[in-house]
Amino acid sequence: MDYYRIIADNFQRTIDTIVMSVDPLAEVIERGGQLMAEALLADRKIIVCGNGVDAALAQLFTCNLLNRFDDDRPALPALTLGADSASVTAIAQSIGISEIFSRQLRALGQAGDVLLCINSSTGTDNLLRALQAAQERNMGIVMMSNTGDREIGSLMRPEDVELRVDATQPARIVEIHTMVIHHFCELIDHTLFGTHNRD
């Protein structure tokens, strides 16, 4: 088997997806980054959720804010709803899996906070309910989705930010979402702490 060809083809598909994503996503990434930076400047927090691999991406974002991204700076308030397995499984067992994010949001979310919701697959009920709970709490919303995810997009308000990746292969969507998270982190750092020289 020609493994080099498999690897090279995957690299090329990733490069093609990145190139095709720059123009459609640049303005939306800027809006999402600014929405979150403004919340942090107002002493609010960012709450992040996602299922499966998207939960891992949520933790990546939270880790970068609580610790650091490129440069040393003060910790920024962010939390991942899926990180507390005891609470998640307790809610799933007693109320149902569709409420694992929304119940936590109703307890922890405050007006002016921002929900960053990550979905690299199709819409799931727990994410739909999370968006509704965030809206009830007058939170801002940044939604990272994909072309197969139509139901969640229908809940977006004009002031919300929806970043929809135009790709069908799950791996490509996750790759772009990972890049977007890094862009969000850099834009937040730039807005709050100014520019730094990059190599």
Side-chain angles (χ1 to χ4, degrees):
M1 183 175 282
D2 185 0
Y3 289 109
Y4 177 85
R5 178 48 48 202
I6 294 171
I7 295 165
D9 286 348
N10 276 321
F11 267 87
Q12 190 59 53
R13 280 193 287 270
T14 298
I15 291 166
D16 292 343
T17 306
I18 291 169
V19 169
M20 297 303 294
S21 297
V22 174
D23 288 342
L25 297 184
E27 182 181 349
V28 187
I29 293 170
E30 180 181 351
R31 285 180 54 221
Q34 286 303 114
L35 181 65
M36 289 186 279
E38 288 166 9
L40 294 169
L41 285 169
D43 290 327
R44 294 288 153 216
K45 62 185 173 295
I46 301 170
I47 301 176
V48 197
C49 68
N51 294 306
V53 67
D54 300 325
L57 291 180
Q59 288 186 293
L60 170 66
F61 179 79
T62 300
C63 175
N64 286 340
L65 263 62
L66 286 171
N67 182 35
R68 57 178 286 175
F69 181 55
D70 274 334
D71 300 297
D72 193 24
R73 47 115 170 105
L76 299 173
L79 62 96
T80 303
L81 295 181
D84 179 0
S85 60
S87 295
V88 168
T89 54
I91 295 167
Q93 182 182 36
S94 62
I95 301 172
I97 196 162
S98 63
E99 298 291 337
I100 60 172
F101 300 135
S102 58
R103 188 165 179 85
Q104 294 179 79
L105 278 168
R106 289 188 181 98
L108 301 170
Q110 297 177 312
D113 290 345
V114 173
L115 172 67
L116 173 60
C117 187
I118 307 170
N119 190 30
S120 61
S121 59
T122 53
T124 53
D125 197 39
N126 60 10
L127 297 180
L128 291 169
R129 290 177 186 250
L131 294 175
Q132 292 166 341
Q135 290 169 349
E136 290 167 13
R137 302 294 288 168
N138 293 316
M139 296 172 60
I141 294 173
V142 178
M143 179 73 220
M144 296 170 59
S145 64
N146 61 89
T147 50
D149 183 13
R150 295 293 177 192
E151 191 175 5
I152 283 180
S154 67
L155 292 178
M156 295 291 99
R157 304 165 297 187
E159 64 269 28
D160 297 330
V161 178
E162 183 184 13
L163 188 147
R164 187 182 295 273
V165 175
D166 186 11
T168 55
Q169 192 174 14
R172 304 292 85 81
I173 297 167
V174 171
E175 288 164 356
I176 297 297
H177 280 176
T178 305
M179 290 184 65
V180 169
I181 285 169
H182 289 158
H183 280 91
F184 282 155
C185 293
E186 184 156 358
L187 292 175
I188 288 168
D189 279 7
H190 175 77
T191 302
L192 271 61
F193 304 105
T195 11
H196 298 276
N197 292 325
R198 304 285 181 217
D199 291 335

